[in-house]
Amino acid sequence: MVTSKSTFKSLYASAFTLILLVVFSNSAISQKANFSGLWKVDSLKSNFGRFVSAVKLKIEQTTDTISIEPTMRTGQGDTRSVVNKLPLGKTMSETRGTTKSIISIEWSGQALVQKSRYQDDTHNAKYQATETWTLSPDSKTLTIDRVIEDDGDGGHGTCKAVYHRG
């Protein structure tokens, strides 16, 4: 015989289970990809076109920021530059003399989208690009797809850099 007490307990247990399911599935969905690590370029899987890309990346990511230290290969050897703690989800602007730069990095699902714009009025130079960063399901491969709207010489194009955790 089913009593109102047992029906209430059954409904309560079902509701509690449903609430737990919603809470845990939302936290799994809202957990963002973590790009932190040391990354080495896979030249065979990359397509740089006529554009330059880093041969190594050192990335440190927190909930609110990302720091990227790219290593570029030049004729004089490898050179590193540091981009310190860019805020995720915000736009940074900087003006130094006649040079203006704007960078934003925002989440788009599990991907990071970086928009960069530089303009130097003295030398009549500008650069504008959008990069989309994605991780493979096993988090061992980072792919950066870059769309260059203006490379400073009026050129445009795309390139893809594929990196593996090093």
Side-chain angles (χ1 to χ4, degrees), residues 84-98:
N84 284 324
K85 293 195 180 182
L86 296 170
L88 292 171
K90 295 182 182 173
T91 299
M92 284 183 35
S93 301
E94 183 177 40
T95 302
R96 289 186 180 178
T98 60

Side-chain angles (χ1 to χ4, degrees), residues 41-49 53-54 142 159-163:
V41 74
D42 182 335
S43 337
L44 297 176
K45 292 185 179 178
S46 299
N47 179 9
F48 304 121
S53 288
L142 164 63
C159 66
K160 176 184 292 237
V162 178
Y163 297 88

Side-chain angles (χ1 to χ4, degrees), residues 68-79:
I68 307 156
E69 182 181 327
T71 300
M72 309 302 274
R73 182 147 298 143
T74 65
Q76 288 78 30
D78 291 351
T79 58

